[in-house]
Amino acid sequence: MSIAALTHQIRLSLEDPANIVRREQLGGAVDDFVKAPLDEPEVILFQLEEELQTTYNDVVDHTSLAHIEIFLGVLHGLRSLLSSTSIISTWFDVVLRPALREPKLPTTSANHAKELIVSAATHVDERHPDKVSEFRRRLLELYLLDTSVESSGDDILEWTELDQNLRDKKHQWKSNLEDTLVKFGLQCTRELMDEVHSAFETPSSRLQLAILLNSLASDQAFPSLAAKVADHPQIGSLLNSLLLDNSSTLCTIALTVMVKLLPIFAVHAHQELKKMLPRLFVILARTMCWKEHVSSSLPSLDQMDEPTGPDESSSDEFVETPLLELRPDLGWQRLELTVKAGPPAPPSEAYFSLLYYLFPCNLVQFLRGPAPYLHDRGYQTPYTVSWEDALDQANIQSKAEALLRSHTVHSGIIRRDWRIELEEEDSWADHSLSRITSECMMLDAHKMVLGSREQLSTTHEIETPRLMIVNEGANSGSPTPQPALLELSSSKLRVSLQDMITTSVALKSNREVEIDGPMTTKWPSSLFTRRGDSPSRTNVDLPSEPGSADDGSQLSGRVAEAIARLQREVLLLRNELNLELWLSRQNVQHIGRLHQDRVLSKNAEVERQGLYNKLRQYKAQVQSLEREIREHKEQSSSAKNKYADWNNELQKKLREFREEKRRWISEEAALRTANKEILALFEAQGKLLADAEKDVFELKTRHKENEHKIDRLHDYERQIEQHVRMQKLWDVDFERFNARGREMEQMKASCKQMEMILDSCEKSLAKMEEEARVYRRQNQALEGRLALMQKKYDAFRRLPESEITAIVAEKSDLALANAKLREENAELKDEMEEMRAAVEGLRAQLSGQRGLIYEPRPRPTVAS
């Protein structure tokens, strides 16, 4: 199919987007064009891009979703022909980026745009290799620029003033861009990690990069790529962020990423995980001892206007962080607090459970003496002080004691010590990721009790000690209980399973959901304070009227701060929800494996019984077969004797055949030797024949070259005869003859000079001919450039006037240069003609004075 036919199909589909038949025809046309062989790929692809740009500019309506959907389908079908440079330079800003911002665009078209972007970022164009690396960096910069979470108060107020359409577009752009980066990371993991590592040096970008890594680690295809990223420097930067940064939000997200990475590294990169152990334990100590500032009581309205002190604002910090300075050689910039409110400390229970499950002996050894353990492992402190001064051993052991009491005893503590545990090779290689996660969760005493009760339960009632049930008559303004604060009790809570399923499906469908139940009309006063606990924990009436304009500005600033805190809490809740979904997915996989093992064990028992019954049948068959074997042995003995005789005859024939084969081989060797000699003789004769032909050709060439000289030689001989006859007449005049001899000697000297002049003229002529050939080649090259510039002029006929003027000027310069070279060529030709005429004149002058054969006559002596 030609480009014109394809463009016609695209225009027909864009004229009537609702026509499904035309869309199907367009899809078939695109497939046919892609499968068809291309005679000149570069020219055809250039023309195709030109036609696509013209069609997009003339026909496509940017506000029509149907047009965007059709054009994205065309680009997706042609993605194997479009280069990465074309997608990046031409279509990303024009088509792909606006499409990913459109919330109402169908999912199929959005996936087409994502695949085009991933294809452009994955395949490197050999002609422009830097374009792809710049495009990858640009994607990450767009993600960091357009999807910021923790913003200043003014930016949050501007966000709240946007209409719902712009909010939806920004949210859709964030979601699609993150999904695109994740898909790119699954195909080019090292490349994405390199870009993330370079951007991770900026403290303000670390939170968004941690969220991106969290999404990447949550993908089901990521565990197979763990070996590629385990030794990447970005993992070390992530651990440094957990150890050195002061933002609890970043530490919470990064800790979630490590919770997902630890079981993956345990299965696929066990040795790299062992090298990380000292830093992992120090991070655990930091999160356990994280200091969370909580105000003792709610502030009054009079206290809202009082500024907070520096001690009250620095609530999201590690206990020792203000006193510990980093070593200058680290080159690490800490991420300080972005929200002045007192956020909760990063949860360390799941992180502790994983470390306790994977390396129980090393964890216990670290808790016994953190500083000695780190010295034994050779881990240098990142602070300016030693580990003894940086770590509070009593505080770490106090915090870890509560966590250890909530976990069962690990069997590995009894069977080995911490050094043997480090020397073991790939102890988790035969474990699946879901098995490690599920068994790790079962180390928690609360979850183990829940699992035991679930096994003993014979009813359809769901026993959830951590589920929060709020009665309809309860006060809606009361604080919401946290699941982690509920204790495990023996009471059973009855929940409708159908209601839970319906609610989950409704929330995941991204549709509007109406919540039935009483709602409060009061605003919590903690939203408008600079200090205190989370605004979701207490509710106080909003002050009715502010006292002055200054109070209004202060309240607006506090509202912005409160919104930022709420956004942070939403982010943490989403992070916790994603972690729970990831753990539930791993548990479901582990449950499926256990169910499969149970079914296989039942099937094995059934097969065992069947095999036992068959065994008795086989024993009876064995006895009958033994009798038959004895009979067959008797028959085989007689057959063996016959076989021995027959084998002897075959051996005799075989020896005869071998002798005959040996004779054939010797004859074949002789024939091959004779054949080689004949071939060598043929090659020698061929070479001699080629040399003879070459000599004949050279002789013919010389004959043709010297033929005109021979003709002139005959003329010269006739002239010599005439001169001899004339000299006989001149013998009488001896004095005249002597004078003529002297003149001849002078002419002989002048002849030598003329020969030298002739040689120099011939060399000059050859040099001028060579220069003429060079000028002709330059002329041809300039004519080729002129033709190329003419093609470029035709291709860029729609270019701006300034570029057209530049091209015309360049063309005129080339034309002037070409004319100048032609004039020089004509002058050189004239000079060559003059030189040829001069050479011919010299030859004629030389031939007129003496012939080719000249013998000076002896001078007669005069008798005295």
Side-chain angles (χ1 to χ4, degrees):
M1 176 174 286
S2 62
I3 298 177
L6 178 62
T7 307
H8 181 66
Q9 289 288 342
I10 295 174
R11 291 179 180 269
L12 289 178
S13 300
L14 291 174
E15 290 176 358
D16 188 8
N19 194 340
I20 301 177
V21 178
R22 288 186 177 179
R23 286 195 180 186
E24 294 177 354
Q25 292 177 355
L26 176 60
V30 172
D31 294 337
D32 295 339
F33 184 81
V34 172
K35 295 177 181 178
L38 302 178
D39 297 334
E40 297 179 355
E42 296 182 357
V43 178
I44 293 177
L45 293 179
F46 178 76
Q47 296 176 358
L48 175 63
E49 292 182 3
E50 289 288 333
E51 292 296 332
L52 288 176
Q53 292 180 18
T54 305
T55 304
Y56 182 80
N57 295 328
D58 297 342
V59 183
V60 174
D61 184 7
H62 304 281
T63 60
S64 175
L65 292 178
H67 282 194
I68 296 175
E69 181 180 355
I70 293 174
F71 203 79
L72 282 174
V74 173
L75 292 178
H76 182 264
L78 298 173
R79 68 186 183 278
S80 59
L81 300 179
L82 297 176
S83 62
S84 301
T85 306
S86 175
I87 297 175
I88 295 170
S89 303
T90 307
W91 302 115
F92 178 72
D93 292 322
V94 178
V95 180
L96 302 179
R97 187 174 178 181
L100 294 181
R101 289 182 180 275
E102 186 58 48
K104 296 181 181 179
L105 188 70
T107 306
T108 305
S109 300
N111 291 332
H112 288 170
K114 295 175 187 177
E115 290 178 5
L116 286 169
I117 294 175
V118 173
S119 176
T122 304
H123 300 89
V124 179
D125 194 351
E126 296 179 354
R127 296 173 295 180
H128 305 282
D130 297 335
K131 282 275 187 180
V132 177
S133 59
E134 292 176 359
F135 181 62
R136 295 170 181 172
R137 194 176 303 109
R138 183 186 176 191
L139 285 178
L140 195 61
E141 290 175 355
L142 288 175
Y143 176 74
L144 297 175
L145 180 63
D146 297 340
T147 60
S148 60
V149 176
E150 293 185 357
S151 305
S152 61
D154 297 336
D155 295 336
I156 294 172
L157 291 178
E158 291 178 3
W159 172 267
T160 57
E161 293 175 358
L162 295 177
D163 57 356
Q164 188 62 32
N165 189 17
L166 292 177
R167 292 183 186 178
D168 293 341
K169 285 186 176 181
K170 286 182 175 292
H171 177 72
Q172 189 69 21
W173 167 245
K174 172 185 175 181
S175 176
N176 289 331
L177 188 57
E178 183 175 344
D179 190 17
T180 304
L181 288 173
V182 170
K183 289 182 178 180
F184 168 69
L186 294 177
Q187 296 185 17
C188 302
T189 310
R190 299 286 299 186
E191 288 78 2
L192 178 64
M193 296 299 285
D194 291 338
E195 298 297 335
V196 171
H197 180 62
S198 61
F200 209 77
E201 297 177 358
T202 305
S204 59
S205 304
R206 290 173 190 165
L207 179 59
Q208 284 302 313
L209 295 175
I211 294 174
L212 177 62
L213 293 177
N214 189 13
S215 302
L216 180 64
S218 300
D219 198 278
Q220 295 183 358
F222 180 75
S224 60
L225 308 173
K228 298 180 181 180
V229 301
D231 57 345
H232 197 275
Q234 175 55 31
I235 302 300
S237 298
L238 188 64
L239 296 176
N240 287 335
S241 177
L242 282 167
L243 185 59
L244 305 176
D245 288 335
N246 292 332
S247 174
S248 66
T249 307
L250 173 60
C251 290
T252 301
I253 304 298
L255 203 63
T256 304
V257 176
M258 290 308 301
V259 167
K260 296 178 182 179
L261 291 180
L262 284 178
I264 297 175
F265 288 166
V267 177
H268 300 282
H270 189 63
Q271 297 300 327
E272 287 76 8
L273 182 60
K274 290 178 181 178
K275 298 176 183 178
M276 302 178 193
L277 271 183
R279 281 198 286 183
L280 294 175
F281 290 152
V282 176
I283 292 169
L284 176 63
R286 187 183 190 219
T287 54
M288 287 191 304
C289 301
W290 195 288
K291 183 178 180 181
E292 179 182 2
H293 177 78
V294 181
S295 58
S296 58
S297 61
L298 290 174
S300 62
L301 296 176
D302 297 335
Q303 294 175 343
M304 290 182 183
D305 299 334
E306 297 178 0
T308 57
D311 296 336
E312 295 175 350
S313 61
S314 60
S315 57
D316 186 11
E317 296 175 348
F318 184 41
V319 176
E320 291 85 354
T321 300
L323 302 177
L324 299 179
E325 296 181 358
L326 302 181
R327 288 190 288 109
D329 57 345
L330 286 179
W332 184 267
Q333 280 186 309
R334 275 177 169 167
L335 177 61
E336 302 297 340
L337 295 177
T338 55
V339 179
K340 295 181 180 180
S348 58
E349 291 81 5
Y351 184 66
F352 177 85
S353 299
L354 274 171
L355 290 178
Y356 181 63
Y357 175 74
L358 295 173
F359 301 97
C361 299
N362 279 268
L363 179 59
V364 172
Q365 183 68 20
F366 172 77
L367 295 177
R368 288 173 181 169
Y373 178 83
L374 296 176
H375 288 310
D376 291 340
R377 292 301 307 276
Y379 180 49
Q380 187 179 4
T381 173
Y383 308 109
T384 56
V385 297
S386 62
W387 284 120
E388 287 79 2
D389 299 331
L391 299 177
D392 187 359
Q393 181 174 350
N395 192 15
I396 294 172
Q397 292 177 352
S398 176
K399 298 292 184 179
E401 184 178 356
L403 292 174
L404 286 172
R405 287 180 178 178
S406 63
H407 288 73
T408 60
V409 178
H410 198 288
S411 59
I413 299 176
I414 304 172
R415 293 185 287 105
R416 59 181 182 268
D417 61 0
W418 67 281
R419 296 186 185 276
I420 297 176
E421 191 175 62
L422 292 176
E423 294 174 357
E424 290 181 350
E425 296 292 338
D426 298 337
S427 56
W428 307 104
D430 56 344
H431 287 61
S432 62
L433 180 62
S434 59
R435 178 181 175 183
I436 293 176
T437 307
S438 300
E439 291 180 356
C440 172
M441 293 176 62
M442 293 307 294
L443 286 177
D444 193 346
H446 297 279
K447 296 177 182 178
M448 185 180 64
V449 172
L450 287 176
S452 301
R453 288 184 180 178
E454 185 66 25
Q455 291 180 354
L456 297 175
S457 176
T458 56
T459 63
H460 295 287
E461 299 171 353
I462 299 176
E463 182 179 355
T464 57
R466 290 194 175 200
L467 188 62
M468 297 175 291
I469 305 298
V470 180
N471 297 328
E472 295 182 357
N475 185 9
S476 60
S478 60
T480 303
Q482 300 294 331
L485 301 177
L486 293 178
E487 297 180 355
L488 190 65
S489 62
S490 60
S491 60
K492 294 182 178 180
L493 301 176
R494 298 179 180 274
V495 181
S496 174
L497 182 60
Q498 186 62 37
D499 292 343
M500 292 178 61
I501 296 174
T502 304
T503 305
S504 176
V505 173
L507 292 176
K508 291 181 180 179
S509 63
N510 292 328
R511 299 178 60 186
E512 295 183 358
V513 180
E514 183 178 357
I515 306 299
D516 294 334
M519 296 181 63
T520 178
T521 58
K522 299 179 181 181
W523 291 78
S525 64
S526 58
L527 288 176
F528 309 98
T529 61
R530 294 183 180 270
R531 59 187 180 180
D533 202 355
S534 174
S536 62
R537 297 182 182 179
T538 56
N539 292 333
V540 183
D541 294 340
L542 182 68
S544 59
E545 296 181 357
S548 62
D550 296 336
D551 297 337
S553 61
Q554 292 178 0
L555 286 177
S556 63
R558 292 168 184 169
V559 167
E561 182 182 347
I563 294 175
R565 293 174 59 192
L566 290 176
Q567 285 186 343
R568 181 187 178 282
E569 289 190 0
V570 168
L571 176 63
L572 294 178
L573 289 175
R574 285 180 179 175
N575 177 65
E576 184 178 357
L577 177 60
N578 291 331
L579 178 60
E580 292 296 333
L581 291 175
W582 182 80
L583 291 174
S584 63
R585 185 167 64 246
Q586 301 301 326
N587 289 334
V588 168
Q589 294 177 2
H590 185 61
I591 290 170
R593 186 182 62 81
L594 294 177
H595 178 70
Q596 184 180 5
D597 294 342
R598 184 178 180 183
V599 172
L600 290 176
S601 63
K602 289 184 178 180
N603 295 334
E605 182 64 27
V606 173
E607 291 178 359
R608 189 182 297 108
Q609 293 294 331
L611 292 174
Y612 180 73
N613 295 329
K614 289 183 179 180
L615 180 61
R616 290 183 293 181
Q617 298 177 1
Y618 291 155
K619 287 182 178 180
Q621 292 178 4
V622 166
Q623 294 176 358
S624 61
L625 291 174
E626 286 178 352
R627 290 192 298 270
E628 293 178 0
I629 286 173
R630 286 193 294 271
E631 296 175 359
H632 287 304
K633 283 183 178 179
E634 295 175 356
Q635 295 176 2
S636 64
S637 61
S638 61
K640 184 184 289 186
N641 297 327
K642 295 179 181 179
Y643 173 75
D645 299 336
W646 181 64
N647 192 16
N648 293 329
E649 294 178 1
L650 290 179
Q651 291 293 333
K652 184 178 179 181
K653 292 181 179 180
L654 182 61
R655 284 192 296 272
E656 294 176 356
F657 289 154
R658 285 178 178 173
E659 292 292 335
E660 187 177 2
K661 182 180 179 181
R662 196 176 293 110
R663 290 195 301 272
W664 289 351
I665 290 173
S666 60
E667 292 177 359
E668 182 184 3
L671 291 175
R672 285 182 179 177
T673 304
N675 189 19
K676 288 182 180 179
E677 293 177 355
I678 292 172
L679 291 176
L681 181 60
F682 284 166
E683 289 180 357
Q685 291 178 353
K687 291 181 180 179
L688 294 175
L689 181 61
D691 294 339
E693 289 179 352
K694 183 179 179 181
D695 294 339
V696 170
F697 178 75
E698 291 178 354
L699 291 174
K700 287 183 179 180
T701 305
R702 291 178 182 176
H703 178 71
K704 290 181 180 179
E705 290 178 353
N706 299 326
E707 187 175 1
H708 65 283
K709 295 181 180 180
I710 295 172
D711 295 338
R712 290 184 180 181
L713 181 61
H714 293 304
D715 296 338
Y716 295 157
E717 289 177 351
R718 285 193 300 269
Q719 291 178 5
I720 290 171
E721 291 177 358
Q722 293 176 2
H723 290 164
V724 170
R725 286 193 302 267
M726 290 175 68
Q727 286 176 2
K728 288 179 180 180
L729 297 175
W730 294 344
D731 288 340
V732 179
D733 196 356
F734 182 73
E735 292 297 333
R736 188 176 180 181
F737 177 76
N738 292 334
R740 187 67 177 174
R742 288 191 296 270
E743 289 177 0
M744 291 296 291
E745 290 295 333
Q746 293 177 358
M747 289 177 65
K748 188 175 182 180
S750 63
C751 180
K752 288 291 182 179
Q753 293 178 357
M754 295 299 290
E755 286 180 357
M756 294 174 65
I757 294 172
L758 181 61
D759 292 337
S760 63
C761 291
E762 287 180 353
K763 291 180 181 179
S764 300
L765 180 61
K767 183 178 180 181
M768 293 175 67
E769 287 177 352
E770 181 65 25
E771 291 178 353
R773 284 195 296 272
V774 172
Y775 285 132
R776 283 196 295 273
R777 286 196 295 270
Q778 291 180 356
N779 190 11
Q780 292 176 0
L782 290 174
E783 287 177 355
R785 289 180 60 186
L786 181 61
L788 181 61
M789 293 304 298
Q790 184 65 30
K791 290 183 180 180
K792 289 184 178 180
Y793 174 74
D794 295 336
F796 294 94
R797 58 183 179 275
R798 300 184 192 81
L799 294 176
E801 185 176 357
S802 60
E803 296 184 6
I804 294 175
T805 305
I807 293 173
V808 170
E810 186 178 0
K811 182 179 178 182
S812 62
D813 296 336
L814 291 175
L816 292 174
N818 192 11
K820 184 177 179 180
L821 291 174
R822 286 180 178 176
E823 291 177 359
E824 293 179 358
N825 192 12
E827 293 176 359
L828 291 173
K829 287 182 178 179
D830 295 337
E831 292 179 1
M832 287 175 63
E833 294 295 333
E834 293 177 0
M835 292 296 296
R836 287 177 181 174
V839 170
E840 291 296 332
L842 291 173
R843 287 179 179 175
Q845 185 179 358
L846 184 63
S847 63
Q849 292 180 358
R850 62 186 180 90
L852 294 176
I853 301 175
Y854 173 73
E855 293 181 359
R857 298 177 64 87
R859 297 179 181 179
T861 58
V862 180
S864 57

